[in-house]
Amino acid sequence: MPSRITFPFLALVVVAAAAALFPTSCSQQPAAPQPRGFYISCGSATDLQAGSIKWVRDEGFTAVGNASTIDKPNLLPVLATLRFFPDATARKYCYKLPVVKGTRYLVRTTYFYGGFDGGKDPPVFDQIIDGTRWSAVNTTDNYRRGMSTYFEIVAEGQGRTMSVCLARRPETKSSPFISALEVIDLEDSMYNTTDYERYAMSTVARSRFGSKGEIVSYPDDQYNRYWAPFADANPAVESHSSISPDDFWNQPPAKALKAGVTTSRGKNLTVQWPPAELPAATYYVALYFQDPRTASPYSWRVFDVAVNGQVFFRGLNATAAGVMVYSNMMQLSGKTEILLTPNTTSPVGPLINAGEIYQIVPLGGKTATKDVVAMDDLARSLKNPPPDWAGDPCLPPLLSWTGVVCSPGSPVRVLSLDLKNHGLSGSLPDSIGNLTGMQTINLSGNKLSGSIPDLGSMHTLTVLHLDGNQFSGTIKPSMETLINLKELYLNNNNLTGKIPDGLKNKPGLDLRTEGNKFE
């Protein structure tokens, strides 16, 4: 069992994690089984095969946006198309993927601007996972260097679906866009010390030390994580031992541990990593060590580990089998220094092979599950819902669905729905009655048809405007139980039967029923 250490929770600051880079072209990987998860080529007209991975079209995962192609030489096929979202009236633009509640996923978004809109600089916008604002997307510097940009976050499925959305910022010019989206299944044992009911983890860096060359990913890493090379002035060493990822927590690929940086016997090893300065925040840090020499009971490599002067682990023994240590709530800011101090009896100097660092992102709240289900049902029942009716209906705050107002606090509830004169057609699902926090509904002046569902459980409802539609059938007797109802507009529909006496005689109720076929 790998050794480990944890640090106490101190404070949280929400700051976007740094983006990582990968080249806009690369060689094909040898064939291997498809990794578990979804690999979506945004805007592509066909499915694509890139090495071992089949990328599918984004049809069925999003219902909005326009496809565009990028006319540049030597691009990876998955970067040669994108989907952009020109509708400035929509509050957000969402992809929606089926997931298993409680399962952990690595979500990766990839962006390559390519001047699709005729401009010189990419637009800056936000990205959102479920109801949490994840980070800003600013790919300007990378695009000028001919590079694409990717972002990663580790999060758990909170229900039957997971949404990944883009949203404009006040300074957003042109249209938000996306080139690729990946949602990769992780094993339950991986990164399992974080409370995913409260947090997600945004990738800052994942590096293999003492290495040069290309990024290591699938098929070397069965979860398609990207392990970037990192080399500094310290001596590099190659491993001669057999390495099994299963022996390590988080299962890093053997290839990521085949090299490391070290120093001479008796000397401290100092590594400045990651290269970029970190914003003041809380981080998950995992460090991997493996003695590159052939295993022997007469040789050992023992040292202490410190990060920015804080004790990370004492007396770590980096054996040929390898060891991983971590902190799941570590406060860091600015430059980060890893210091390895050898034991006085250790016959060789300390070394380090690989590292991962993630920023801890507090989740932005949770909308009541029954409200999410009911609003999703409503979106499916409407033939032409507003373009931003996907993802969480209430979150992030100020980015709720068009026409939807929600409560503060936790869990968040849907309070109001106003889509008057919105050109809607379709029907209302029975599950709309489960929106028990609803206070006002205004769907006047549309082309909605079918029967009016049983709304008897919506006891907080004060206003219900369904006038000027094509509803048919009768008024449910349970409508009489809505004790707080003050306005009920049913005029100019195709309703039949009798108006319940409890509605006709209800004190203080503004009831409008003309233009129907009541007895």
Side-chain angles (χ1 to χ4, degrees):
M1 182 70 177
S3 302
R4 59 177 177 170
I5 187 170
T6 60
F7 282 79
F9 171 81
L10 296 177
L12 287 170
V13 180
V14 183
V15 185
L21 308 176
F22 69 90
T24 55
S25 63
C26 71
S27 59
Q28 295 283 346
Q29 294 278 10
Q34 175 84 4
R36 296 185 305 178
F38 293 95
Y39 296 81
I40 300 171
S41 179
C42 302
S44 177
T46 61
D47 295 346
L48 308 171
Q49 188 73 37
S52 305
I53 297 177
K54 181 180 180 180
W55 295 82
V56 299
R57 295 170 293 170
D58 59 5
E59 182 180 356
F61 296 105
T62 186
V64 295
N66 300 332
S68 181
T69 57
I70 305 300
D71 185 16
K72 288 186 178 293
N74 302 320
L75 275 183
L76 284 169
V78 76
L79 299 180
T81 64
L82 57 79
R83 182 167 293 276
F84 68 98
F85 303 93
D87 186 352
T89 66
R91 296 179 180 178
K92 56 190 174 186
Y93 322 95
C94 295
Y95 282 79
K96 192 173 181 180
L97 299 97
V99 296
V100 177
K101 184 177 180 179
T103 296
R104 202 162 301 127
Y105 297 91
L106 175 68
V107 180
R108 181 184 296 123
T109 53
T110 302
Y111 303 91
F112 184 69
Y113 171 57
F116 74 90
D117 57 0
K120 295 183 179 180
D121 292 323
V124 179
F125 48 93
D126 284 338
Q127 57 183 353
I128 300 159
I129 184 163
D130 286 333
T132 298
R133 194 184 301 271
W134 170 5
S135 72
V137 177
N138 186 346
T139 66
T140 302
D141 290 341
N142 300 342
Y143 176 66
R144 289 173 179 171
R145 293 157 52 191
M147 307 291 285
S148 61
T149 304
Y150 70 81
F151 298 78
E152 291 179 353
I153 196 165
V154 177
E156 278 193 357
Q158 301 296 320
R160 294 177 297 179
T161 61
M162 176 180 286
S163 62
V164 179
C165 309
L166 308 180
R168 294 172 181 267
R169 298 166 65 92
E171 66 272 24
T172 300
K173 299 177 181 179
S174 180
S175 302
F177 69 95
I178 184 169
S179 303
L181 171 61
E182 300 164 69
V183 178
I184 304 164
D185 296 31
L186 300 176
E187 295 292 341
D188 291 343
S189 63
M190 299 172 66
Y191 312 107
N192 63 358
T193 59
T194 296
D195 180 0
Y196 291 97
E197 290 288 326
R198 300 171 60 195
Y199 306 109
M201 302 201 314
S202 184
T203 306
V204 176
R206 185 185 299 111
S207 300
R208 51 192 187 102
F209 298 149
S211 303
K212 297 181 180 179
E214 295 183 350
I215 290 172
V216 169
S217 60
Y218 194 82
D220 297 296
D221 187 316
Q222 63 178 318
Y223 305 102
N224 201 31
R225 291 168 295 182
Y226 295 164
W227 298 80
F230 175 85
D232 58 11
N234 289 303
V237 62
E238 292 286 335
S239 176
H240 301 287
S241 302
S242 176
I243 302 170
S244 172
D246 293 338
D247 292 336
F248 285 85
W249 212 333
N250 297 342
Q251 301 184 40
K255 196 170 182 178
L257 305 177
K258 290 296 289 183
V261 293
T262 188
T263 190
S264 304
R265 175 183 177 179
K267 291 184 177 181
N268 293 344
L269 176 63
T270 301
V271 180
Q272 299 282 349
W273 176 85
E277 293 192 7
L278 301 179
T282 304
Y283 294 87
Y284 173 101
V285 182
L287 303 176
Y288 302 88
F289 309 87
Q290 191 266 342
D291 194 327
R293 301 168 301 161
T294 303
S296 168
Y298 305 105
S299 182
W300 59 94
R301 193 186 292 262
V302 179
F303 47 89
D304 296 337
V305 182
V307 176
N308 284 1
Q310 300 181 54
V311 175
F312 200 85
F313 200 88
R314 293 189 184 278
L316 184 141
N317 185 8
T319 64
V323 63
M324 172 269 212
V325 294
Y326 75 92
S327 166
N328 63 346
M329 282 288 182
M330 190 171 193
Q331 302 300 306
L332 295 173
S333 65
K335 292 184 177 179
T336 305
E337 179 182 277
I338 301 170
L339 176 64
L340 308 182
T341 304
N343 185 289
T344 55
T345 63
S346 184
V348 289
L351 91 166
I352 184 170
N353 301 77
E356 294 181 272
I357 183 166
Y358 299 82
Q359 184 178 327
I360 302 297
V361 178
L363 299 184
K366 188 174 183 180
T367 302
T369 300
K370 65 179 181 179
D371 285 20
V372 173
V373 172
M375 292 302 292
D376 282 343
D377 287 347
L378 177 58
R380 285 191 294 269
S381 295
L382 299 177
K383 294 181 180 179
N384 51 341
D388 55 13
W389 271 42
D392 192 291
C394 292
L395 297 172
L398 305 181
L399 291 177
S400 61
W401 291 0
T402 292
V404 174
V405 176
C406 301
S407 70
S410 182
V412 177
R413 301 299 308 275
V414 176
L415 300 182
S416 175
L417 173 62
D418 186 354
L419 291 176
K420 180 180 180 180
N421 298 325
H422 221 79
L424 301 176
S425 59
S427 60
L428 299 182
D430 291 339
S431 58
I432 195 173
N434 295 331
L435 295 168
T436 54
M438 188 75 83
Q439 298 172 4
T440 65
I441 297 176
N442 189 343
L443 295 172
S444 300
N446 289 290
K447 297 180 181 179
L448 300 172
S449 58
S451 61
I452 298 174
D454 187 340
L455 307 179
S457 59
M458 302 176 73
H459 298 300
T460 60
L461 194 64
T462 60
V463 173
L464 179 59
H465 291 184
L466 300 178
D467 52 299
N469 281 282
Q470 300 168 11
F471 288 110
S472 58
T474 61
I475 300 175
K476 302 290 192 300
S478 60
M479 194 82 77
E480 296 176 306
T481 67
L482 301 180
I483 59 174
N484 291 305
L485 195 60
K486 302 299 182 185
E487 296 179 8
L488 177 58
Y489 295 179
L490 301 176
N491 46 300
N492 300 319
N493 279 286
N494 299 314
L495 298 171
T496 57
K498 293 184 178 181
I499 301 173
D501 291 339
L503 292 177
K504 289 193 293 185
N505 303 321
K506 180 177 172 59
L509 175 63
D510 182 3
L511 176 63
R512 303 183 186 183
T513 60
E514 64 273 12
N516 287 285
K517 302 175 182 178
F518 292 123
E519 297 176 9

